[in-house]
Amino acid sequence: MKKILITGAAGFLGSHLCDRFIAEGFHVIGMDNLITGDLKNIAHLFPLERFEFHHHDVSTFVHLEGKLDYILHFASPASPIDYLKIPIETLKVGSLGTLNLLGLAKEKNARILVASTSEVYGDPLVHPQNEEYYGNVSPIGPRGVYDEAKRFMESITMAYHRHHGLDTRIVRIFNTYGPRMRLNDGRVVPAFMGQALRGEDLTVFGDGSQTRSFCYIDDQVEGIYRLLFSDYTDPVNIGNPHETTIKQFADEIIALTGTKQKVIYVPLPKDDPTQRQPDITKAKEILGWEPKVSRSEGLKIVYDYFKSLSKEDLQKKEHRDFSSK
Ligand code: NAD
Ligand code: UDP
């Protein structure tokens, strides 16, 4: 039986990847330090013999007994609210964490896929963003802790590939949403839906003319799965090219939820990218992949999920307390 290590297993993307690899018949080792994740996301896997969980910070040395065939490195704070609150941990997991997992992959002779991001393009001057674009990132701005950690991640991954012949894959993930996102993680999908459910106005940052392109989780997982089993070692964009302005998006959420509240405008955070849309030509050609779930279908599913959460979860507006970390 093939064995796979998934870091960030208790998070949004990591938990869905655990489900997929369990369904495909793998032995799955989930690893997480729970800094932004929640064991609730993988509680259903604990009774399975083919699943094990290691509570561990991957920015410190990672050791596993026995053979290992694959590693998916998804551990990292991912929402701007989170990585601004824990900037040093974010830099460490993208750099030291990636180094540790590349070392483990080398020792075990395992294939490793690392989770990069559209943030490597920064506030892009090329639109839509293709993989050849080098990006427009401020190393010293507030988002630099995330963007530069991910750029370093890509760089060290390619160095291990070229220098040690390590079998590597790099996915550049564009905004992805779905069930198990934290309602209070500050990303725009849970933010707007939480506001609608609590009867609050929807907070559009800036004038709402900035754009994003939202990918449903099942499509994202399928793209990552195909990339892992392809032979392609350069970065590949995985995302849904269907672009919207944030103001249009707020109007869609108002229509979907039927809230009587309105949009209010609040200041735009520094370095918030003005436009983002993936060019997925490579994913189409190399992986035969393209997204299947429309935004209206996907948003309905995630809204039903948020509606099913307890009143207590819904009221947890304040962001997680990271003061002890
Ligand atoms: P998430 O916060 O839900 O999950 C991240 C998980 O990593 C959490 O469970 C957290 O506890 C864990 N983690 C963080 N630091 C760790 C450490 N040092 N050791 C062990 N575990 C640690 O975020 P997500 O949206 O699921 O993102 C997962 C990955 O995908 C991240 O690498 C992120 O950069 C990448 N990504 C996500 C998106 C998106 O739209 N969701 C977009 C681009 C890239
Ligand atoms: N945004 C917003 N209101 C919110 C949260 C986010 O207008 O309550 C905007 C944010 O400024 C950005 C977009 O929505 O332009 C997507 O933000 P998110 O934090 O989800 O991800 P990003 O793509 O910026 O990393």
Side-chain angles (χ1 to χ4, degrees), residues 80 143 175 186-188 191 203-205 210 212 246 272 276:
R143 297 173 89 106
N175 296 67
R187 287 185 272 192
V188 70
T203 51
V204 166
F205 297 168
Q210 71 272 31
R212 292 294 184 276
I246 294 302
D272 196 295
R276 183 180 292 158

Side-chain angles (χ1 to χ4, degrees), residues 7-14 31-38 41 56-59 73-79 82 89 93 115-118 146 150 153 172-177 180-182 185 187:
T7 75
F12 162 52
L13 269 160
M31 189 173 279
D32 204 296
N33 68 350
L34 305 179
I35 195 166
T36 62
D38 196 324
N41 292 333
H56 182 73
D57 177 350
V58 301
S59 301
H73 179 29
F74 278 69
S76 170
S79 98
D82 288 347
E89 288 82 353
V93 74
S116 185
T117 164
S118 51
Y146 183 67
K150 293 292 188 179
M153 166 190 261
R172 289 188 182 150
I173 300 169
F174 282 66
N175 296 67
T176 298
Y177 69 97
R180 301 187 191 151
M181 290 185 99
R182 236 169 61 228
D185 85 359
R187 287 185 272 192

Side-chain angles (χ1 to χ4, degrees), residues 41-191:
N41 292 333
I42 45 171
H44 59 287
L45 300 177
F46 277 78
L48 305 181
E49 257 181 38
R50 281 192 291 114
F51 183 75
E52 52 185 285
F53 179 71
H54 296 228
H55 188 184
H56 182 73
D57 177 350
V58 301
S59 301
T60 65
F61 187 73
V62 183
H63 173 73
L64 284 178
E65 297 289 341
K67 74 150 197 166
L68 190 63
D69 302 290
Y70 301 99
I71 299 175
L72 298 182
H73 179 29
F74 278 69
S76 170
S79 98
I81 291 276
D82 288 347
Y83 60 73
L84 294 180
K85 281 204 168 179
I86 42 174
I88 313 292
E89 288 82 353
T90 303
L91 280 156
K92 278 170 130 179
V93 74
S95 55
L96 302 178
T98 304
L99 171 66
N100 289 332
L101 291 156
L102 289 165
L104 181 69
K106 182 165 165 275
E107 184 197 312
K108 303 282 186 188
N109 201 16
R111 177 177 298 178
I112 179 167
L113 180 149
V114 299
S116 185
T117 164
S118 51
E119 285 284 323
V120 299
Y121 302 121
D123 189 5
L125 306 175
V126 165
H127 195 72
Q129 294 77 57
N130 59 42
E131 290 86 347
E132 276 64 50
Y133 179 47
Y134 293 160
N136 176 37
V137 172
S138 164
I140 56 166
R143 297 173 89 106
V145 298
Y146 183 67
D147 302 7
E148 295 294 6
K150 293 292 188 179
R151 288 168 69 96
F152 176 85
M153 166 190 261
E154 290 198 8
S155 186
I156 193 169
T157 299
M158 288 313 292
Y160 265 73
H161 176 65
R162 294 199 183 103
H163 191 69
H164 291 306
L166 194 71
D167 196 9
T168 57
R169 306 287 181 276
I170 299 173
V171 58
R172 289 188 182 150
I173 300 169
F174 282 66
N175 296 67
T176 298
Y177 69 97
R180 301 187 191 151
M181 290 185 99
R182 236 169 61 228
L183 197 49
N184 63 350
D185 85 359
R187 287 185 272 192
V188 70
V189 174

Side-chain angles (χ1 to χ4, degrees), residues 118 127-129 174-177 211-216 238-246 275-278 295:
S118 51
H127 195 72
Q129 294 77 57
F174 282 66
N175 296 67
T176 298
Y177 69 97
T211 69
R212 292 294 184 276
S213 309
F214 297 101
C215 182
Y216 187 64
I238 299 286
N240 188 324
H242 189 194
E243 187 180 9
T244 173
T245 68
I246 294 302
Q275 52 181 1
R276 183 180 292 158
Q277 182 193 34
R295 197 160 63 232

